[in-house]
Structure formats: structure tokens, C-alpha cells
Amino acid sequence: MPKTLFGGFSANFLGNAPNWYKQTILFFLVANPLLMLSVGPVATGWCLVAEFIFTLAMALKCYPLQPGGLLAVEALLIGLTDSDSVYLEVLHNLPVIMLLMFMVAGIYFMKDLLLVTFTQILVGVRSKTKLALLFSLMAALLSAFLDALTVTAVIISVAVGFYSVYHRVASGKGYHHDDHDAQSDHEVVELHREDLAQFRAFLRSLLMHGAVGTALGGVATMVGEPQNLLIAKEVGWDFVAFFERMAPVSLPVLAAGLLTCLLLEKTGRFGYGARLPKPVRRVLEEFADDQRRKRTPADRAALCVQALAAVVLVLGLALHVAEVGLIGLLVIVLITAFTGITDEHQIGKAFQEALPFTALLVVFFAVVAVIHEQHLFSPVINYVLSLPEAQQPGMFFVANGLLSMISDNVFVATVYIGEIKQALDAGAISQAHFEQLAVAINTGTNLPSVATPNGQAAFLFLLTSAIAPLVRLSYGRMVMMAFPYTLVMGSVGLLCVIHLT
């Protein structure tokens, strides 16, 4: 407990972040004005970008909104950009903000349907290889039309529910007993310990297959990831055009990803291959049957409404009847109206997942405004554009992929698509080549970024969720389990970008 007022300020600053992290951010905030006076705005701008990428890379220590936001505010105060430029960036990217605000919230109200779907798959398919393929494929298909974070949240909910049920049974309690710490094994009956360890490994592999599946599907459509919509807006693609342009890369990568899933389960390498123990399966089947029997007519009616809303969503996106965010708002209105959700506090919960990232995205745009104002990336972009035209897509894919592994792929895509749009407006590249580079940027930020939790929001969400400590999924283990996917998806994606786009 702090004993002085200064100690109170020190303890409150960035909350539970480590002291070394707090001191690093304070050092950045003190150093930037001095750099501005001594070396000028361009060098200071590069330092600011590096500092901001540091906050993204250290997202597990502290959510980047606070430290990144302080850096963005300081950039405004010392004149690296101005509030009008930030506002124009936000205004230009309003469709992306609406996507995050309304589409993610809309899918929140479809969680029951998604939970039932994944639960039926988990208890209905006995072959682990088929189950892993189905989880990956379902996550890919859903992420192509829905938000990858929400799909990941559903998979996590299924895993937490089933893990908690078996953990309670293994501890000698019935699966209806709620008051139990699922992280502690001290009450687990000795007979069940081996089964519980194997069940953890089984769930770990399914969670990773599902998380990778969200990346496989998320790259394919303009609503799969936030940066996809941003890229689509810059190029002028609608839902169908975006899918068609990405298909020469996204479809071969999907096939390669599913084949990798199959091989990992068959070989049991990199932490995959664990089977569901028979005693665990019996418990889960009994629990699923119990949940099915308890479902009331009102519950079944709600599932029907959610299914119809899903059809409306897919048709609305495919036919491009309105902006993506407005279609998400339509889904919210339809589901809440016909399932009896009329309390504002119930509705408010749907927005909790999306709004922190939406706020962070606005901070992204402030840093992007600095990059554009100071022309920071112009030399890099000009160098790549000076290479033979055939080499440029591959170079953009590699550059975006490497950056997305250590920072956030939305930020990387925002910067690069903005820079090549400026090159197009200046007449440095043709429209056809601009579209080819846009494919390279989209796939480059979506595919190799599965290497670490830093690059993919869905991976970071999984790592920081309630299920990660339960199934012993650490940062290092996640990177190790993602490695074969990174290698295959990155290699196949690069070859397709070079030869097929």
C-alpha cells in the first residue's frame, strides 16, 4: 500500500503493469519533446511509431489503449500532427469503426446458436481428426462472415463449459455444482487425474485449431478482420469483389491450413493429437443431453430467430445492401426485438467486447496521422516501388507479415494501405497494380500474424481468456503450437501472392 500521495500516483499509473514497463513509458513521454527539439519531427515520428509498436507487442503487460493513447496525445501536443488530421483519419475509416461497434455486438446476440452448433460438433463427432478439421473449418466459415473475436469467444465458452463440467465431476461433485475453483486440482480424485490431463491437451489442440481457423476464414472476406474492410474501402471493392480478389490466395491457404490440421492430428507433433478420454466423453454427453432437455419453447424460438438473423446477415453482406456496420445494427434490432431482450443493461453487455478495441483503433488512426503528416513511410514505400513490379507484391507480403508478428495487424495494414493509396493518387502506380498490392497487404497482415498472440486479436483474446490457465495454454506453448501453421500459411500465401495474383 502506498504511504504518500506520490506513491499513490505511482501505484495508480498504468495499474498492475510491471514497474519496468511504467518506467519505460514515462521515459518515452519525457524523451519525445526533447527529441522534437533536438533532432526534428521526422526522427521523433519514427521513435513514436517504434514506441507505439512496443506498446502493442507488450499487450499482455498492459492493454495498449492507455500507454498508446498517452503517446498519441503527446504527439498532438508537440506538433507531430494535429486534431484535424486525426479527425479526418477517423472520418475516413468510419465504416471500420461501425463494423466493430455494431457487427461484433450483433454477433454477440447469436452466441446461443453458435454455442449449440459447436457443442453438437464436440459431442457428436468421435474421431479426433475429423473433430479438429470440423472445428477449424467451422471457425473459418464463421469468421468469413462474422467477427473472428466473437467466433473465438464462442469456442472459448464451449471449452470453459465442458472443462468446468468434467472438473467438477472429477472432484467428486455433480456437474450441476457451481461453487468450485476449476483452476485447482487438489480436490480431483486420483482416478481422474490422468483423464483430466489428457482432456486439457485435447481442449488445447481444439482451441488452437479453432483460433487458426478464424485466421484462415478471416482473410477471405471484407468483414473477416477490421483491416479487411479498411482495405476494401480504399480500393473500392464490395463483398463479392473482395472475396474474388482474395480467392487465389485465401482458398489455397485454406486447403493448406486444413491439410496441416490433419497432419498435426495424425502425427501428434507440436502438442497436437490428444484424444478425448472415454470417461470424459460420457460425462459431456450426459451434460449435453441434460442441457437439451432443459431447453424451453422460448429458448428454441430464440434459436430460430438467431438462425434467421444469420441468413439475413449473410444475404445482406453478399448483396451489399448497406454498410457493414448498419447490417450489424439490423441484426441487433431483429434478434433483440424477437427474443425479448429489451433492457438497456442487457443490450449494453453486447458492446463491452468491441468498444475497448474500437477506442484503440482511434488511437491507431492518430499514429497513422503522424506517419502521413511526417511522410515517415514514404522512403520505404518508394524503395519497394522502385523494385521490378513483379517483386513488389512478395516484398509487401513479407514486410507486412514480419511487422504483424510483433505488433497488431490492423495497425500495420492501416499504415501500408494508406501509403500505397498516396502512391496511386500521385500517379506512381496503376490501379491494377494498386489492387495487386492491396491483396499482398491484406494476406500479409492476416496470415503470418498467427505466429504470435501479438499479431492476431483472436489469439491475444484466447491467451488472456479464462480458458488459457485452465488448459495450461501459455504464451510460449501457443507460439510453439502455431509454428507449423505459420510456416505453411506464410509460405503458401507468399507463393500465391507472387504467382497467382
Side-chain angles (χ1 to χ4, degrees), residues 157-178 180 182 192 196 199 203 279-288 290-291 467 470:
S157 298
V158 173
V160 169
F162 279 135
Y163 177 84
S164 301
V165 165
Y166 184 70
H167 198 280
R168 288 194 291 268
V169 171
S171 302
K173 300 175 171 67
Y175 51 63
H176 294 299
H177 193 280
D178 290 328
H180 186 65
H192 292 290
L196 184 60
F199 186 35
L203 286 179
V280 181
R281 175 176 289 282
R282 281 196 297 272
V283 170
L284 299 186
E285 286 173 344
E286 289 171 9
F287 175 72
D290 182 67
Q291 293 296 100
I467 193 64
L470 300 183

Side-chain angles (χ1 to χ4, degrees), residues 272-458:
Y272 295 96
R275 301 291 187 261
L276 181 63
K278 288 182 180 179
V280 181
R281 175 176 289 282
R282 281 196 297 272
V283 170
L284 299 186
E285 286 173 344
E286 289 171 9
F287 175 72
D289 288 339
D290 182 67
Q291 293 296 100
R292 197 180 301 113
R293 283 194 299 271
K294 284 182 176 178
R295 206 169 288 140
T296 65
D299 294 333
R300 291 194 292 272
L303 291 175
C304 292
V305 169
Q306 291 172 33
L308 288 171
V311 173
V312 170
L313 172 65
V314 172
L315 291 175
L317 292 172
L319 299 175
H320 195 60
V321 297
E323 278 293 344
V324 174
L326 294 178
I327 297 173
L329 183 56
L330 171 65
V331 168
I332 293 173
V333 172
L334 290 175
I335 295 178
T336 54
F338 288 97
T339 57
I341 301 172
T342 55
D343 184 83
E344 64 179 305
H345 298 294
Q346 278 183 287
I347 296 169
K349 290 177 183 177
F351 293 89
Q352 288 178 356
E353 290 179 13
L355 285 181
F357 189 72
T358 306
L360 179 59
L361 195 64
V362 175
V363 175
F364 282 1
F365 296 146
V367 178
V368 171
V370 172
I371 291 170
H372 289 167
E373 195 90 0
Q374 304 302 329
H375 308 288
L376 298 184
F377 275 57
S378 296
V380 178
I381 301 294
N382 291 338
Y383 166 72
V384 176
L385 294 179
S386 70
L387 296 171
E389 196 167 288
Q391 294 180 18
Q392 292 175 20
M395 285 294 293
F396 271 102
F397 182 95
V398 171
N400 281 268
L402 291 174
L403 263 180
S404 294
M405 288 180 188
I406 58 170
S407 65
D408 186 271
N409 56 5
V410 180
F411 174 66
V412 175
T414 303
V415 170
Y416 272 90
I417 195 65
E419 290 296 320
I420 65 163
K421 182 66 163 61
Q422 287 186 347
L424 174 70
D425 294 340
I429 56 176
S430 66
Q431 178 67 31
H433 190 51
F434 172 61
E435 293 185 12
Q436 192 179 17
L437 295 181
V439 173
I441 291 170
N442 184 67
T443 52
T445 52
N446 273 294
L447 299 175
S449 57
V450 301
T452 70
N454 309 88
Q456 283 274 355

Side-chain angles (χ1 to χ4, degrees), residues 149-150 152-154 156 353 453 456-466:
L149 276 180
T150 305
T152 306
V154 169
I156 289 169
E353 290 179 13
Q456 283 274 355
F459 276 57
L460 185 61
F461 185 47
L462 173 58
L463 185 64
T464 55
S465 70

Side-chain angles (χ1 to χ4, degrees), residues 16 36 81 143 167 197 203 234 358 385 494:
N16 294 322
M36 187 70 173
T81 187
S143 296
H167 198 280
L203 286 179
E234 290 287 11
T358 306
L385 294 179
L494 177 59

Side-chain angles (χ1 to χ4, degrees), residues 106-114 146 306 309-310 313 331 335:
I107 306 310
Y108 173 89
F109 293 110
M110 293 171 61
K111 272 189 176 180
D112 289 341
L113 177 66
L114 297 173
L146 312 178
Q306 291 172 33
L313 172 65
V331 168
I335 295 178

